[in-house]
């Protein structure tokens, strides 16, 4: 610093994740989250850390040492998030993240996401290339659907030699309806256009009018969806490799 704002931004996507809190303990879900996004072409994650189990903290520290994630201590003394900043100070965290991804790390795009969410294009295996193919917009809004725990489970794709045998994205194949724009949506924002963002859509932009693209990709109203299985055994092998590097028995906690 001072840093030139005329430099070329990387046509890549940084992931801005809602705060990790409430002593989050689902270690396998965290590893699966990072590994499936890596397969989708993501190279940088920002984690706003409040609390987790010791095992999840080990996982976070592992990825931090790999240079994949930046961990920010989000324990702000004296602030009562539930009263002042919504849960976990999420709005403050996400806005800080978008500015950080633009100013510090020169990312052209930032995705606004939680640890239990995956942006999954139907017709492209690379999320950054998919966004680039859609043309120039301030934000790219993804329609949303849920894969609930009580819905159909299918383990037919689980490799026989998999050590960690329950990956949510691979075993949950039944989903709900697809929700309309701004109803539980998630999105990718063009960082140089953002002034103020929320967790479901952008609130204020540099442009006078928000130029949004709602992406539906001709989604069929089917309730069985195998889209997350496109990477075959790669996701299973990558998850097992990480869990094996962190835990002696090779298993990440469920």
């Amino acid at each position: 610093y001072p840093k030139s704002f005329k430099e070329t931004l990387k046509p890549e996507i940084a992931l801005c994740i809602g705060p990790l809190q409430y002593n989050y303990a689902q270690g396998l879900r965290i590893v699966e989250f990072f590994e499936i996004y890596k397969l989708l072409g993501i190279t940088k994650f920002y984690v706003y850390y409040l609390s987790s189990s010791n095992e999840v903290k080990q996982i976070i520290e592992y990825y931090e040492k790999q240079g994949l994630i930046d961990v920010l201590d989000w324990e702000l003394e004296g602030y009562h998030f539930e009263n002042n900043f919504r849960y976990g100070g999420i709005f403050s965290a996400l806005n800080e993240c978008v500015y950080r991804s633009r100013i510090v790390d020169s990312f052209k795009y930032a995705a606004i996401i939680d640890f239990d969410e995956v942006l999954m294009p139907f017709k492209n295996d690379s999320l950054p290339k998919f966004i680039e193919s859609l043309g120039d917009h301030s934000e790219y809004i993804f329609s949303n659907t849920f894969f609930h725990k009580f819905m159909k489970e299918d383990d037919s794709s689980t490799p026989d030699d998999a050590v960690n045998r329950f990956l949510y994205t691979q075993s949950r194949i039944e989903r709900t309806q697809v929700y309309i724009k701004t109803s539980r949506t998630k999105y990718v924002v063009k960082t140089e256009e953002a002034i103020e963002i929320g967790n479901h859509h952008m609130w204020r932009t540099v442009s006078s009018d928000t130029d949004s693209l709602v992406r539906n990709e001709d989604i069929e109203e089917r309730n069985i969806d195998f889209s997350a299985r496109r990477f075959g055994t790669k996701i299973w092998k990558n998850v097992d490799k990480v869990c094996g590097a962190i835990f002696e028995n090779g298993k990440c906690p469920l």
Side-chain angles (χ1 to χ4, degrees), residues 48-206:
Y48 291 77
Y49 186 89
L50 274 167
S51 64
S52 72
S53 66
N54 289 332
E55 291 82 3
V56 167
K57 192 167 187 178
Q58 285 180 262
I59 293 168
I60 294 297
E61 290 172 348
Y62 170 85
Y63 281 113
E64 186 178 24
K65 289 177 182 177
Q66 302 297 312
L68 183 70
I69 69 175
D70 286 355
V71 181
L72 296 100
D73 183 3
W74 202 236
E75 188 64 55
L76 305 180
E77 185 177 353
Y79 286 96
H80 301 286
F81 284 138
E82 306 301 334
N83 296 330
N84 305 116
F85 295 108
R86 206 156 182 255
Y87 63 91
I90 187 171
F91 292 149
S92 299
L94 295 178
N95 278 275
E96 199 275 350
C97 183
V98 170
Y99 283 114
R100 178 180 294 273
S101 66
R102 163 68 178 91
I103 297 170
V104 178
D105 293 323
S106 301
F107 279 91
K108 185 176 181 180
Y109 305 105
I112 311 304
I113 212 75
D114 287 324
F115 275 111
D116 60 351
E117 298 166 337
V118 178
L119 297 180
M120 182 68 67
F122 278 144
K123 301 175 183 178
N124 199 313
D125 290 345
S126 169
L127 193 54
K129 289 180 180 178
F130 173 64
I131 292 297
E132 283 279 283
S133 73
L134 298 177
D136 189 28
H137 302 276
S138 298
E139 62 177 341
Y140 305 79
I141 299 175
F142 285 68
S143 297
N144 179 54
T145 187
F146 291 98
F147 293 79
H148 290 299
K149 290 182 179 180
F150 58 79
M151 287 180 161
K152 185 178 180 63
E153 181 179 336
D154 179 88
D155 63 0
S156 62
S157 70
T158 307
D160 292 338
D161 60 348
V163 176
N164 294 273
R165 302 190 62 80
F166 181 75
L167 299 188
Y168 202 95
T169 60
Q170 306 303 299
S171 64
R172 298 295 178 182
I173 59 173
E174 184 177 0
R175 63 168 172 79
T176 64
Q177 69 188 67
V178 176
Y179 291 83
I180 62 173
K181 177 184 178 182
T182 71
S183 178
R184 310 300 298 175
T185 54
K186 289 296 176 176
Y187 65 106
V188 174
V189 63
K190 191 175 179 182
T191 57
E192 62 185 349
E193 287 288 328
I195 294 178
E196 188 176 13
I197 67 164
N199 56 340
H200 295 297
H201 59 91
M202 188 154 55
W203 291 340
R204 288 196 297 154
T205 70
V206 172

